[in-house]
Amino acid sequence: MDSNHLNGGVDANGMDDINRPLLEPLDVRAADKRIRTLKFKIGEIHCASCSTTIESVVGSLNGVKSVTVSPIHGQAAIDYIPELINGSKIKEAIEDAGFPVDEFPEQDIAVCRLRIKGMMCTSCSESVESALRMVDGVKNAVVGLALEEAKVHFDPNITDTGSIMKAIEDAGFGSELISSGNDVNKVHLKLEGVNSPEDMTIIQSSLESVEGVNNVEVDVLEKKVTITYDADLTGPRSLIHCIEEAGSNPKSYQASLYVPPRRREAEQQLETQMYRNQFFLSCLFSVPVFLFSMVLPMLSPYGDWLMYKIHNMLTVGMLLRWILCTPVQFIIGRRFYVGSYHALRRRSANMDVLVALGTNVAYFYSVYIAMKALALDNFEGEDFFETSSMLISFILLGKYLEVLARGKTSDALAKLTDLTPETAYLLSLDADGNAISEMEISTQLIQRNDILKIVPGAKVPVDGIVISGQSHVNESMITGEARPISKRLGDKVIGGTMNENGCLQVKATHVGSETALSQIVQLVEAAQLSRAPVQKLADQISKFFVPAVVIAAFLTWLGWFILGEFGLYPISWTPKGMDRFELALQFGISVLVVACPCALGLATPTAVMVATGKGATQGVLIKGGNALEKAHKVKTVVFDKTGTLTVGKPTVVSAVLFSNYSMEEFCTAATAAEANSEHPIAKSIVEHAKRFLNKFGSTEHVVEAKDFEVHTGAGVSGRVGDKMVLVGNKRLMREYNVQVGPEVEKFVSENEKLARTCVLVSIDGKVAGSFAVTDPVKPEAACVISYLHSMGISSIMVTGDNWATAAAIAGEVGIDEVFAETDPMGKADRIKELQMKGLTVTMVGDGINDSPALAAADVGMAIGAGTDVAIEAADIVLMKSNLEDVVTAIDLSRKTMSRIWLNYVWALGYNILGMPVAAGILFPFTGIRLPPWLAGACMAASSVSVVCSSLLLQSYKKPLHFQNIKST
């Protein structure tokens, strides 16, 4: 018998876990609540006077509002103001009074997400991270360059979001709060009938008095209110009703739903528009500069006009180029100065430093040439004004194209977010369950336990359970499952899926941010924010990249200048209108601007963003860059049996008696013993026994077993009436010294060879009979195992079932190595043994009792359906119960890692090749040199090429389609 059966695990499709969300929300208290409650135990309280002493000691502390100490339970409950005192000081005061503190809760940890503005490359994200980690109270901070977001874990007793945002701004970057940990359920309302601050105060106090409301934020000017609430206790419609009731004659208030614009999309559009406008504005000045410098001098009579001398050697063309270049350098190019200032102030360097340095050298050298031409009547020199202006124009064009491309990396996530319908039909039912009214409402107004009507062709608005009707629902947009799933009474439906042919009445169980769709989006966003280990390469390189480029540029200028001064290359090499110093300077500037740290920083995060988003649309949820990177190294996949390789819905195929008990007595005893178990095998036995009893007219009530006990890895036992009943495998029989005769042995061995599990039933120390249970193998299992072998990956099965059954199923699907009769901890031990051999191991389990093994594996894959996913222990969650996705997850990981390395080749290879060319290595042999403006264009192109390379992952297709193979 599989060990799932033996630990009383909950059935994956059971009703008990219907209220369990896909992702467990982090239990954090709102950082802006003024009073907090701290509960813990105190030792050595012997009488009431001890508790009185503690109460007086703690009560005298500044910031403590109330203290209650129970002398019987030794438990303390303390209300305090976190701005004045924290939990650790309260603990110290109690211990100083001579009482040990037990079971003291860990510090409150709140989480906030922030939008970071102004990051250009990896060194910028590292600077933000280090600035955040320096803030007192911040426990962890992760900054995503491609997402331009930060996720910060902090102690709200010590710091708050305002201090965190100030630290980011002090580091030279813009910041904006996206969400904080208390934003689990939040609604925005627009108010009408509010004419004064007093009206807002009335509404605020009315809302704060509602049970379940955590926080109320009012905007007096905009007449808006934002409410954070507990979905179990209240909801948006109740809050709107509360506002309307707060009004009294002659004043009346109305509230309506207000949906704030999507910040990310709006900001991406603004950023794209900004770069586009700056590029066009820059072109307005730099194109004439280019024409006056490169084109018109070759065309008569324009060239003659440009060469007209205003004073001494200062020409009209030089003056015009100076005038037109100056706004590009100092107004349009101001962003590079600001970025450089903040970078250098942080003692780091980024792309802004390179651009500012290169353009300033070109500009101020040109100004020097112009001033010298103005002062001397026999001076001949060439200015570089076109270098400065065109360089800035090309870099702005590159940033514009990069922002456009980066916006597309989160397309998959945006499509998921848009799946939820805007409206839903709310039903009111009478006592008999008949619909008495129907109303169309916004999806955001749905509350838990609402009854919703879903017509054919409509999308399911929230997660719920079917209470009436039957239909087929297409869940492909969330789980990737192509075939519509049959739904009838008691089945779960997932928000965002499409109802196909029948009308359903659904009771809402998860709303707002608790729905499976919201949880998937949150999970993918978290994965996109995480940093893959391969990113460390870029981080290490970026630390010395810019200083190395500056040194290389200086050495390039110095080398060419010295060679020129000593006449080590012929004068014919110097281009017309340029002296040797200027040639050396151009080489130096080209080296400065050709190198691009941005491309290196974008190589990993953009690929991870596209891959995790694409995986989510395929029903494969990857929990971060770490899981994505590890999965490509996998050489061994360990499968659980029940619910993973098999369908997970076992059925009894035969029941045999080995005693004088009647079949009715046998079935009654087995039903009573197994009734308390939720495992599929136990359920199949109970279902079979009840069906038999009903068939033969037995209406006898099932007796409840007393002294019920689960025997891990063996079975269950209990007392039914005056009889001791054991239900389990041979090991359980041996433990209770129950003799298993040759007749029973023969029955067991014959069935085990047929891949059936034999469940023995003993009554009062004798084997009364046995059930033969079969759990069909999933049709795609053999195909998946074969495909894994073709990928060079070995497959192993670990199960709690007996050796014979396990071997039979392994033979059927093509698995070579089997570990049977293994309990949950034993599975984890087997994985550790494989890891000690140097193998990278993936564990694939149904997530019920496989958590230890999933956690122990290098990559844990939880296989399950919809909201029943055991997500905590797994690194990768396969949303549908389909083994094909094991192949998909590993293959997607391999494709992504190869794409990341290709991105590194693009980025590093470009810099390795570009810098020598810019330094003039080809010039002596071919006459080819890279002018600074062209070097700037190449730098801009490198970032765009890396992002576009990552975007090619959008075309990823699953390598294995069992349905297609089956049909061919």
Side-chain angles (χ1 to χ4, degrees):
M1 187 183 295
D2 194 344
S3 59
N4 285 3
H5 176 214
L6 313 165
N7 61 9
V10 178
D11 180 11
N13 297 313
M15 301 279 285
D16 297 340
D17 61 354
I18 196 156
N19 290 319
R20 180 163 65 87
L22 177 69
L23 286 174
E24 299 294 337
L26 193 64
D27 184 18
V28 293
R29 297 186 178 94
D32 47 9
K33 278 192 176 179
R34 189 166 175 75
I35 297 177
R36 296 181 183 278
T37 302
L38 187 63
K39 292 181 180 178
F40 52 89
K41 287 198 171 182
I42 303 172
E44 295 185 15
I45 297 180
H46 303 297
C47 58
S49 64
C50 294
S51 60
T52 307
T53 303
I54 295 167
E55 284 176 2
S56 62
V57 167
V58 177
S60 64
L61 297 172
N62 182 33
V64 173
K65 301 294 288 181
S66 67
V67 187
T68 307
V69 180
S70 167
I72 299 169
H73 302 104
Q75 191 162 343
I78 299 165
D79 291 338
Y80 68 100
I81 300 170
E83 286 86 352
L84 302 175
I85 193 168
N86 58 34
S88 58
K89 288 182 180 176
I90 294 170
K91 180 185 176 185
E92 284 172 19
I94 295 169
E95 288 176 336
D96 288 343
F99 297 94
V101 175
D102 302 323
E103 298 181 22
F104 191 77
E106 290 183 13
Q107 290 174 309
D108 288 340
I109 298 295
V111 182
C112 69
R113 282 176 60 218
L114 302 156
R115 176 93 62 242
I116 312 292
K117 299 171 185 174
M119 291 195 299
M120 304 293 287
C121 57
T122 311
S123 63
C124 295
S125 61
E126 281 191 337
S127 298
V128 176
E129 254 181 42
S130 61
L132 286 169
R133 285 174 177 161
M134 292 292 285
V135 176
D136 192 26
V138 169
K139 303 299 173 190
N140 188 33
V142 181
V143 178
L145 175 64
L147 267 182
E148 295 181 326
E149 285 183 16
K151 188 175 184 180
V152 186
H153 293 73
F154 63 97
D155 183 350
N157 295 330
I158 299 171
T159 189
D160 56 19
T161 51
S163 304
I164 291 167
M165 290 167 74
K166 187 176 183 303
I168 294 169
E169 281 153 19
D170 287 344
F173 299 92
S175 67
E176 185 180 346
L177 185 67
I178 300 171
S179 67
S180 53
N182 57 319
D183 291 349
V184 177
N185 288 291
K186 182 183 266 193
V187 66
H188 304 270
L189 301 175
K190 182 89 173 168
L191 304 174
E192 292 176 23
V194 176
N195 302 311
S196 66
E198 288 75 22
D199 292 336
M200 293 297 274
T201 306
I202 292 167
I203 289 170
Q204 185 172 359
S205 58
S206 298
L207 288 168
E208 285 174 343
S209 65
V210 175
E211 187 184 7
V213 169
N214 296 330
N215 184 44
V216 180
E217 296 173 20
V218 294
D219 185 338
V220 178
L221 293 175
E222 294 288 328
K223 296 181 181 177
K224 292 172 187 168
V225 62
T226 303
I227 308 147
T228 306
Y229 62 92
D230 184 343
D232 287 323
L233 301 173
T234 188
R237 292 203 314 281
S238 303
L239 297 171
I240 290 172
H241 183 64
C242 169
I243 291 170
E244 290 169 350
E245 281 196 333
S248 58
N249 286 328
K251 290 183 177 180
S252 64
Y253 306 132
Q254 278 85 41
S256 58
L257 201 64
Y258 162 69
V259 182
R262 285 184 185 173
R263 285 181 182 173
R264 181 179 295 174
E265 288 180 10
E267 283 175 6
Q268 277 181 349
Q269 286 176 356
L270 281 173
E271 191 180 14
T272 306
Q273 197 174 0
M274 179 198 73
Y275 278 117
R276 187 189 63 199
N277 293 344
Q278 285 189 343
F279 169 65
F280 286 140
L281 188 61
S282 181
C283 285
L284 191 67
F285 294 97
S286 55
V287 169
V289 171
F290 177 75
L291 292 173
F292 293 155
S293 176
M294 304 283 188
V295 180
L296 294 180
M298 300 175 188
L299 303 174
S300 186
Y302 305 108
D304 302 333
W305 172 70
L306 289 170
M307 294 305 293
Y308 177 77
K309 294 181 178 66
I310 299 170
H311 181 71
N312 287 338
M313 300 302 289
L314 181 68
T315 62
V316 171
M318 190 180 290
L319 183 62
L320 285 173
R321 289 194 292 271
W322 188 0
I323 292 168
L324 290 168
C325 177
T326 301
V328 177
Q329 181 69 38
F330 297 107
I331 298 172
I332 299 166
R334 180 178 176 272
R335 61 188 310 282
F336 300 113
Y337 287 103
V338 173
S340 302
Y341 166 72
H342 287 301
L344 294 170
R345 202 184 73 174
R346 297 189 305 267
R347 296 180 183 176
S348 66
N350 58 10
M351 188 197 80
D352 289 335
V353 173
L354 295 177
V355 174
L357 203 56
T359 55
N360 275 319
V361 168
Y363 179 82
F364 286 108
Y365 177 74
S366 301
V367 170
Y368 164 75
I369 293 291
M371 297 298 288
K372 207 168 179 181
L374 182 65
L376 303 173
D377 59 358
N378 60 349
F379 173 76
E380 286 189 12
E382 191 70 26
D383 63 86
F384 291 168
F385 285 120
E386 82 285 347
T387 294
S388 169
S389 58
M390 290 183 66
L391 190 55
I392 289 171
S393 297
F394 275 115
I395 288 164
L396 289 172
L397 173 63
K399 293 305 290 181
Y400 169 58
L401 295 173
E402 182 190 320
V403 169
L404 275 178
R406 274 164 61 184
K408 296 184 183 296
T409 57
S410 54
D411 274 359
L413 205 55
K415 286 175 186 172
L416 278 175
T417 310
D418 291 336
L419 286 176
T420 309
E422 291 183 1
T423 60
Y425 291 103
L426 177 68
L427 298 179
S428 295
L429 305 182
D430 60 17
D432 298 324
N434 300 313
I436 53 175
S437 69
E438 181 181 306
M439 179 172 60
E440 189 174 9
I441 63 167
S442 167
T443 305
Q444 292 196 326
L445 292 176
I446 296 172
Q447 298 182 183
R448 190 168 288 162
N449 298 322
D450 279 348
I451 307 300
L452 306 168
K453 176 184 171 185
I454 297 138
V455 296
K459 286 182 179 178
V460 179
V462 293
D463 294 2
I465 183 168
V466 177
I467 60 167
S468 176
Q470 62 181 45
S471 179
H472 284 80
V473 175
N474 186 341
E475 297 182 346
S476 61
M477 58 279 291
I478 289 179
T479 66
E481 178 59 68
R483 291 169 298 175
I485 311 296
S486 174
K487 300 289 180 182
R488 48 176 59 87
L489 182 67
D491 288 343
K492 291 180 186 179
V493 288
I494 304 171
T497 56
M498 181 70 76
N499 182 27
E500 296 221 327
N501 53 5
C503 188
L504 296 173
Q505 285 185 14
V506 172
K507 182 178 182 180
T509 57
H510 298 88
V511 295
S513 59
E514 298 171 352
T515 63
L517 184 58
S518 296
Q519 299 290 333
I520 290 167
V521 170
Q522 287 175 37
L523 182 68
V524 176
E525 283 181 338
Q528 290 179 348
L529 203 58
S530 68
R531 187 169 292 178
V534 71
Q535 176 75 19
K536 288 176 183 175
L537 174 64
D539 295 345
Q540 291 298 322
I541 294 171
S542 69
K543 285 178 183 175
F544 59 85
F545 187 91
V546 173
V549 170
V550 173
I551 293 167
F554 176 75
L555 292 175
T556 299
W557 168 79
L558 191 64
W560 279 101
F561 179 65
I562 291 169
L563 288 172
E565 285 298 304
F566 286 98
L568 297 176
Y569 63 81
I571 192 72
S572 60
W573 284 13
T574 310
K576 187 181 176 185
M578 193 182 292
D579 62 25
R580 289 174 169 179
F581 175 84
E582 290 167 355
L583 180 66
L585 194 63
Q586 281 223 350
F587 281 128
I589 294 170
S590 294
V591 171
L592 266 181
V593 295
V594 80
C596 183
C598 296
L600 205 58
L602 291 168
T604 301
T606 51
V608 170
M609 277 181 74
V610 176
T612 49
K614 188 67 180 176
T617 60
Q618 302 269 8
V620 177
L621 301 184
I622 301 165
K623 288 178 72 176
N626 197 20
L628 194 66
E629 183 170 341
K630 280 185 178 176
H632 93 284
K633 301 175 185 174
V634 167
K635 290 296 176 189
T636 303
V637 178
V638 177
F639 291 94
D640 175 44
K641 182 177 78 71
T642 306
T644 303
L645 287 170
T646 63
V647 174
K649 291 183 179 177
T651 53
V652 176
V653 290
S654 67
V656 177
L657 295 173
F658 298 114
S659 65
N660 296 325
Y661 289 104
S662 68
M663 184 60 80
E664 190 174 342
E665 289 173 307
F666 171 68
C667 286
T668 302
T671 303
E674 290 281 48
N676 289 325
S677 176
E678 286 291 327
H679 187 267
I681 288 180
K683 284 191 170 186
S684 69
I685 290 171
V686 172
E687 192 180 315
H688 175 85
K690 283 184 176 178
R691 198 162 52 240
F692 173 82
L693 293 171
N694 291 336
K695 185 178 178 181
F696 289 94
S698 174
T699 55
E700 190 179 320
H701 180 69
V702 176
V703 181
E704 190 174 338
K706 295 176 182 177
D707 303 327
F708 176 79
E709 190 179 349
V710 174
H711 302 271
T712 305
V716 298
S717 66
R719 192 164 288 280
V720 181
D722 58 348
K723 296 182 177 69
M724 184 64 186
V725 178
L726 307 174
V727 183
N729 57 20
K730 288 191 284 185
R731 194 175 358 148
L732 181 67
M733 301 300 136
R734 283 197 296 270
E735 282 179 20
Y736 279 81
N737 297 317
V738 175
Q739 193 70 33
V740 178
E743 186 186 4
V744 178
E745 289 280 11
K746 184 183 176 187
F747 174 81
V748 169
S749 62
E750 284 176 355
N751 278 281
E752 285 176 349
K753 286 174 186 174
L754 298 170
R756 295 172 182 173
T757 300
C758 288
V759 181
L760 303 176
V761 180
S762 161
I763 303 175
D764 282 342
K766 292 182 179 178
V767 176
S770 176
F771 293 100
V773 182
T774 186
D775 185 4
V777 170
K778 286 181 179 175
E780 74 274 12
C783 183
V784 169
I785 302 301
S786 173
Y787 199 93
L788 286 172
H789 283 166
S790 71
M791 293 171 73
I793 297 170
S794 60
S795 301
I796 296 171
M797 184 168 76
V798 178
T799 178
D801 213 336
N802 61 74
W803 279 100
T805 305
I809 286 178
E812 189 176 340
V813 299
I815 288 176
D816 302 322
E817 195 171 357
V818 179
F819 298 107
E821 297 179 15
T822 311
D823 61 18
M825 292 311 297
K827 292 180 182 180
D829 293 337
R830 293 292 187 189
I831 284 168
K832 287 170 186 171
E833 287 171 14
L834 292 166
Q835 288 169 331
M836 287 174 73
K837 295 176 184 176
L839 297 170
T840 304
V841 182
T842 283
M843 170 68 193
V844 185
D846 58 8
I848 295 169
N849 71 330
D850 297 320
S851 295
L854 289 169
D858 295 288
V859 181
M861 293 190 192
I863 188 163
T867 55
D868 295 323
V869 181
I871 208 165
E872 289 79 12
D875 299 298
I876 296 174
V877 180
L878 311 179
M879 285 291 289
K880 45 183 177 152
S881 297
N882 194 326
L883 288 174
E884 287 173 21
D885 288 338
V886 175
V887 173
T888 304
I890 296 171
D891 184 66
L892 178 59
S893 168
R894 289 183 175 184
K895 293 278 197 307
T896 306
M897 288 309 299
S898 64
R899 181 63 55 182
I900 287 170
W901 285 113
L902 181 62
N903 287 351
Y904 276 142
V905 169
W906 272 111
L908 283 171
Y910 157 83
N911 284 302
I912 289 165
L913 293 173
M915 284 176 67
V917 172
I921 198 168
L922 299 177
F923 186 64
F925 313 107
T926 62
I928 293 173
R929 66 187 179 91
L930 207 60
W933 61 269
L934 189 57
C938 292
M939 183 190 90
S942 68
S943 292
V944 178
S945 65
V946 164
V947 178
C948 291
S949 171
S950 294
L951 279 171
L952 290 174
L953 283 168
Q954 290 276 27
S955 61
Y956 174 80
K957 287 183 172 57
K958 292 169 69 170
L960 181 62
H961 288 274
F962 176 70
Q963 290 300 321
N964 296 352
I965 293 168
K966 192 177 175 184
S967 61
T968 54

